[in-house]
C-alpha cells in the first residue's frame, strides 16, 4: 500500500486525502489545529463554490451540508456612480446552483470523517526538516498549507505573477439579520463595484449557527476601505463595514437596517496578500521532492471568488494523476505533469482575476453595462464564475467583445 503524506487540512488537502483514502491509500494528514480548534476559531475565508467544484465534492460523497446550505442561484453586479448611486445593476441566473459553507464547520467535519474512516490525522506544526525526515518513509509528500515556512520551498514564477504587492485589503464579516435584495426572489451573490475604492461582495452562506450572509470588502490599498488593518475588536470591524456600506453602497446598507449582528465571536477577518504563481516542486535539503497543492502554487486574489473552486479542482486533478500513476515512483516528471494538468484550468482563473484587479478598459465597461440590458450577457457573465475559461472567447479583447455583443443584438 502506497504511503502518502499531506501537509495542510484545507479544501484541497482534505478533499485529496479523503479521495485517496477511499481508493485504499495509506494517507496521513498533518495540520497544526484540531477539528475543535478549527470549528471554534476565526473564519477562514469567503468561499463560494460553483457547480463544477461542488460536483467534485459530490463525486466523493463529501457534500455533507448541501441540503442545509442556501442554494445560490444567481450572481449580480452593481456599479456605483459618483454620487453613490447605482449606475449599473443586473443579475444573471446560474445554470447550476452555487453554495458557501463556512470552512470552519466544513474542514472540521472533513477532519473528523477522515479519522473515523481510519486516516491518520497528526496535529503538529511542520517544518522543512520534518519533511526531510518523512520523505524517507512516504512515497509522496504534498504540501497544501499555503502559509508559513513551507511555502518558501516553492519559488515565485515571475512570468506568471505580474503583481509583487497586495492589490486589495480584505475585510470579512459573517452576519445574521441581513434583509433580501428586493430585485429578485432567489439567493444570489452580489458584487458591488465602487470605482477607485474597491468592491463589496454579499454572499449567502451557512455557518455553525445556521444560514447567514458574508459581507466582504476588497479595498484598494491606501484607499478609504483600507482601514481594517489595526482593528482587533469584532464589533468595531462590523461598524466600520456598515459605515463604508452606508457611504459607498447605500442600496446594500438598506438591507442591514433591520439589524445585523455577527454570527459569533470569530466572525471577522482582515488581511492582504500578493497574488502569486509558484513553481510546483519543492526540494528538500536531503534531496527529496514535494509537490505543492492549490494556493501553495496558485494564489489568486479572492476578487473573482475562485479560491475554493481552484482548490477542489486541484485536488481532483492530483487525485486522478496519483491513481493513474500506479506503482511508479512519484518523481519530478510526475509532479510537473500533475501541476501542468491543473494549470490547464487554473491559468484561466489567474488571467481573469488579474484582469479584474486592474482598472477595467472601455470594452469591459461596455460589456458590464450591456449585461444590464441584455439577459444573455448577464447569464454568460454569471456562469463564467463556474467556467472562467469561457472569458477567453469574449471578454479580454475589444474585437471579440464587440463581435459578441453584435451577435446578441443582431
Amino acid at each position: 500500500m502506497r504511503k502518502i503524506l499531506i501537509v495542510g487540512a484545507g479544501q484541497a488537502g482534505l478533499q485529496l486525502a479523503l479521495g485517496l483514502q477511499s481508493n485504499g491509500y495509506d494517507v496521513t494528514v498533518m495540520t497544526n489545529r484540531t477539528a475543535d480548534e478549527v470549528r471554534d476559531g476565526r473564519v477562514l475565508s469567503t468561499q463560494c463554490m460553483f457547480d463544477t467544484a461542488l460536483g467534485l465534492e459530490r463525486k466523493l460523497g463529501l457534500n455533507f451540508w448541501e441540503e442545509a446550505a442556501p442554494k445560490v442561484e444567481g450572481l449580480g453586479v452593481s456599479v456605483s456612480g459618483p454620487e453613490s448611486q447605482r449606475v449599473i445593476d443586473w443579475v444573471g441566473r446560474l445554470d447550476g446552483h452555487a453554495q458557501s459553507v463556512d470552512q470552519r464547520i466544513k474542514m472540521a467535519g472533513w477532519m473528523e470523517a477522515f479519522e473515523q474512516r481510519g486516516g491518520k490525522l497528526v496535529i503538529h506544526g511542520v517544518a522543512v526538516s520534518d519533511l526531510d525526515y518523512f520523505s524517507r518513509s512516504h512515497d509522496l509528500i504534498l504540501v497544501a498549507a499555503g502559509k508559513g515556512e513551507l511555502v518558501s520551498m516553492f519559488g515565485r514564477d515571475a512570468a506568471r505573477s505580474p503583481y509583487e504587492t497586495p492589490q486589495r485589503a480584505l475585510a470579512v464579516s459573517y452576519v445574521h439579520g441581513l434583509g433580501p435584495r428586493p430585485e429578485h426572489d432567489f439567493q444570489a451573490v452580489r458584487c458591488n463595484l465602487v470605482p477607485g475604492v474597491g468592491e463589496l461582495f454579499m454572499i449567502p452562506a451557512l455557518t455553525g449557527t445556521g444560514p447567514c450572509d458574508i459581507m466582504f470588502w476588497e479595498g484598494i490599498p491606501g484607499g478609504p476601505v483600507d482601514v481594517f488593518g489595526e482593528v482587533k475588536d469584532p464589533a468595531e470591524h462590523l461598524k466600520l463595514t456598515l459605515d463604508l456600506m452606508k457611504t459607498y453602497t447605500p442600496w446594500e446598507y438598506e438591507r442591514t437596517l433591520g439589524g445585523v449582528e455577527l454570527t459569533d465571536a470569530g466572525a471577522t477577518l482582515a488581511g492582504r496578500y500578493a497574488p502569486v504563481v509558484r513553481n510546483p516542486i519543492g526540494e528538500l535539503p536531503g534531496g527529496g521532492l514535494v509537490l505543492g497543492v492549490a494556493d501553495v502554487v496558485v494564489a489568486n486574489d479572492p476578487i473573482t471568488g475562485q479560491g475554493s473552486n481552484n482548490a477542489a479542482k486541484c485536488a481532483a486533478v492530483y487525485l486522478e494523476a496519483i491513481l493513474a500513476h500506479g506503482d511508479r515512483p512519484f518523481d519530478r516528471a510526475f509532479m510537473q505533469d500533475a501541476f501542468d494538468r491543473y494549470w490547464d484550468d487554473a491559468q484561466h482563473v489567474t488571467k481573469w482575476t488579474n484582469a479584474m484587479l486592474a482598472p477595467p478598459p472601455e470594452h469591459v465597461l461596455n460589456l458590464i453595462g450591456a449585461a444590464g440590458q441584455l439577459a444573455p450577457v448577464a447569464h454568460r457573465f454569471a456562469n463564467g464564475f463556474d467556467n472562467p475559461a469561457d472569458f477567453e472567447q469574449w471578454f479580454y479583447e475589444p474585437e471579440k467583445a464587440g463581435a459578441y455583443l453584435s451577435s446578441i443584438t443582431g
Side-chain angles (χ1 to χ4, degrees), residues 175-213:
V175 299
H176 290 309
L178 188 71
R181 280 291 289 264
E183 297 93 333
H184 45 78
D185 59 1
F186 53 88
Q187 297 269 33
V189 170
R190 300 295 313 202
C191 173
N192 301 278
L193 309 178
V194 186
V197 174
E199 300 82 25
L200 172 68
F201 296 88
M202 311 290 279
I203 307 169
L206 176 73
T207 189
T209 51
C212 67
D213 288 275

Side-chain angles (χ1 to χ4, degrees), residues 144-158:
K147 299 175 183 176
E149 174 193 346
L150 299 184
V151 176
S152 66
M153 291 190 297
F154 305 93
R156 179 174 179 268
D157 185 339

Side-chain angles (χ1 to χ4, degrees), residues 165-170 196-198 218-226 272:
T165 60
Q167 298 300 296
R168 293 293 188 272
L170 315 175
V197 174
E218 285 223 353
I220 295 173
V225 174
D226 185 6
R272 67 187 73 202

Side-chain angles (χ1 to χ4, degrees), residues 16 19 36 151 162 165 167 192 213 216 220 230 237 262 280 302 311 321 327 337 342 348 407 410:
L16 180 55
D36 284 340
V151 176
T165 60
Q167 298 300 296
N192 301 278
D213 288 275
F216 173 34
I220 295 173
E230 302 302 319
H237 182 110
L262 294 173
D327 294 329
D337 181 68
Y342 168 51
H348 299 293
S407 73

Side-chain angles (χ1 to χ4, degrees), residues 37-58:
E37 286 171 336
V38 171
R39 187 182 286 111
D40 297 334
R42 188 170 292 279
V43 294
L44 301 169
S45 67
T46 57
Q47 68 293 310
C48 185
M49 298 186 68
F50 294 90
D51 185 54
T52 298
L54 292 176
L56 298 173
E57 293 184 353
R58 293 187 198 106

Side-chain angles (χ1 to χ4, degrees), residues 9-12 14-15 18 35 38-39 44-45 47-50 53-54 56-58 62-66 69 99-114 206-208 308-309 311-312:
Q11 174 75 38
L14 286 171
Q15 181 182 317
L18 287 155
V38 171
R39 187 182 286 111
L44 301 169
S45 67
Q47 68 293 310
C48 185
M49 298 186 68
F50 294 90
L54 292 176
L56 298 173
E57 293 184 353
R58 293 187 198 106
L62 300 178
N63 54 328
F64 301 163
W65 301 273
E66 185 157 16
Q99 288 186 305
S100 174
V101 177
D102 186 341
Q103 288 196 345
R104 293 177 296 178
I105 59 174
K106 186 177 187 180
M107 298 308 117
W110 280 3
M111 289 167 71
E112 290 165 347
F114 177 70
L206 176 73
T207 189
S308 295
N309 297 272

